[in-house]
Amino acid sequence: MSEQVRSEENWSSMQIADCSTTGGETVEILKDQSVLLTGETPKRTTYTVTADSQLQEINGIRLEALTHEKIPGNGPGRGDPKRTNFVLTDF
C-alpha cells in the first residue's frame, strides 16, 4: 500500500444523511457521524447508509467497526458479550 493511501490526511468523512435496518434495531447517528445500533439483535439484517459528500472524486471507502459502552461486551459486534464479533458479508 502506498504512503499516500495510508496517510490519514487523504481521507474525508462523509456526512451521514440516513441509516436504516431491516432487523428492527434502533439506529442513532452520533455527533461524530458514527452510527450506533442498539435494541434488537437479529440473526441477519441489512443496513442501508446514505451519506453526503462534496468530493468530486471518490477512490475508496473505509468502514470502521467501533467499540461503544452501549454495545454488549463493548462491541464492535452486538451478539454475545464474550465474543463480540462483527461480520460483513456484502458491501
Side-chain angles (χ1 to χ4, degrees), residues 2-91:
S2 75
E3 195 63 37
Q4 180 182 8
V5 172
R6 279 188 259 152
S7 173
E8 288 295 318
E9 65 191 46
N10 290 317
W11 290 94
S12 297
S13 295
M14 294 184 181
Q15 293 295 112
I16 304 295
D18 187 50
C19 181
S20 62
T21 171
T22 61
E25 301 92 331
T26 300
V27 176
E28 181 181 356
I29 299 172
L30 303 178
K31 289 180 185 178
D32 66 359
Q33 289 297 291
S34 60
V35 178
L36 177 63
L37 300 167
T38 56
E40 297 292 321
T41 308
K43 282 191 170 217
R44 291 184 187 266
T45 189
T46 299
Y47 307 119
T48 302
V49 179
T50 305
D52 296 320
S53 174
Q54 299 300 315
L55 296 173
Q56 299 296 314
E57 185 176 313
I58 297 175
N59 295 316
I61 295 176
R62 177 171 60 186
L63 175 68
E64 295 179 280
L66 305 173
T67 59
H68 195 278
E69 64 272 3
K70 289 185 178 179
I71 302 172
N74 292 328
R78 298 184 56 238
D80 183 347
K82 295 178 184 172
R83 201 177 65 121
T84 58
N85 65 337
F86 171 83
V87 179
L88 180 67
T89 57
D90 196 10
F91 187 79

